[in-house]
């Protein structure tokens, strides 16, 4: 039985993923950058929010990310942490918890971005509101979306391995997909 919604769904809000922004090249260690970002609704494709960002990572021990959204402004600090085999990895510093994190969230109705732990029991992930059947459907859809590329989604239940993906990764996703299928058929045998 799904939970009654007394908490806000975290994924319904805004998400800042530091590593995704670095892979896109908009946040670059050792450089100053400025960019604009838009968030869209997953179902309708409509724009839900937009913001201007200024990132200053010229110093080796600290950086800042300034967010300007409508009439609000927030500055988030970035810090590098040493890695085991050399080098370092950058993290956001949560403005509330003062802890390192790679993802910051701003749920609907919130005024600022914070780490998941700062929101506590006021928020929950979308999967926590789903029953077993819908979790299986959601899991299968996420795997299919990851693999589909430019193929016709109606043509494939499980799309073939993309050229860029390793076989080990594809086999793991295939096992997970089959697990979701088994959990769904176990609940609803034909």
């Amino acid at each position: 039985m799904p939970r009654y919604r007394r908490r806000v769904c975290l994924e319904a809000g805004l998400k800042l993923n530091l590593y995704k922004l670095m892979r896109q090249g908009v946040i670059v260690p050792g450089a100053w950058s400025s960019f604009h970002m838009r968030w869209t609704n997953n179902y309708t494709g409509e724009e839900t929010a937009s913001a201007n960002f200024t990132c200053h990572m010229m110093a080796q021990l600290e950086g800042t990310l300034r967010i300007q959204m409508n009439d609000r402004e927030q500055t988030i600090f970035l810090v590098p942490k040493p890695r085991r085999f050399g080098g370092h990895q950058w993290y956001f510093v949560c403005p509330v918890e003062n802890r390192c994190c790679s993802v910051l969230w701003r749920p609907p109705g919130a005024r600022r971005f914070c780490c998941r732990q700062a929101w506590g029991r006021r928020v929950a992930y979308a999967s926590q509101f789903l029953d077993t059947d819908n979790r299986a459907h959601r899991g299968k859809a996420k795997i299919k979306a990851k693999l589909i590329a430019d193929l016709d989604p109606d043509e494939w239940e499980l799309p073939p391995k993309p050229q860029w993906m390793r076989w080990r990764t594809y086999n793991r996703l295939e096992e997970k997909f089959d697990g979701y299928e088994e959990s769904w058929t176990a609940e609803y045998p034909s």
Side-chain angles (χ1 to χ4, degrees), residues 24-178:
Q24 291 172 346
V26 293
I27 292 181
V28 182
W32 178 91
S33 61
S34 181
F35 60 97
H36 183 79
M37 186 170 167
R38 289 186 176 95
W39 288 271
T40 56
N41 184 315
N42 289 345
Y43 299 106
T44 62
E46 295 176 12
E47 184 178 307
T48 56
S50 65
N52 291 315
F53 293 84
T54 306
C55 186
H56 186 271
M57 294 178 72
M58 299 297 279
Q60 289 190 354
L61 300 176
E62 186 178 79
T64 58
L65 178 68
R66 190 168 157 237
I67 306 166
Q68 293 177 300
M69 182 179 258
N70 299 333
D71 58 343
R72 299 198 197 318
E73 193 172 304
Q74 181 179 3
T75 300
I76 297 167
F77 291 98
L78 296 117
V79 293
K81 295 288 182 181
R83 301 289 296 180
R84 177 178 285 173
F85 296 110
H88 56 273
Q89 185 168 350
W90 285 89
Y91 292 95
F92 290 125
V93 177
C94 175
V96 173
E97 295 281 314
N98 199 29
R99 68 191 300 169
C100 293
C101 58
S102 56
V103 177
L104 294 175
W105 297 91
R106 184 178 168 205
R111 295 177 174 260
R112 62 181 173 180
F113 286 93
C114 298
C115 67
R116 165 67 177 93
Q117 291 77 11
W119 299 112
R121 303 217 17 103
R122 294 176 285 176
V123 296
Y125 292 108
S127 62
Q128 293 175 285
F129 297 113
L130 303 174
D131 59 9
T132 312
D133 177 39
N134 287 325
R135 271 197 302 271
H137 280 296
R138 185 172 189 256
K140 286 174 61 176
K142 285 176 86 171
I143 291 171
K144 190 174 179 178
K146 186 181 274 190
L147 298 174
I148 200 70
D150 57 354
L151 301 173
D152 180 17
D154 297 330
E155 202 172 297
W156 301 93
E157 180 168 339
L158 178 67
K161 182 186 91 60
Q163 214 171 8
W164 50 267
M165 186 177 281
R166 296 178 183 206
W167 275 106
R168 185 174 172 186
T169 304
Y170 181 76
N171 291 336
R172 184 175 41 81
L173 289 172
E174 187 177 26
E175 285 176 25
K176 212 172 185 182
F177 190 89
D178 292 341

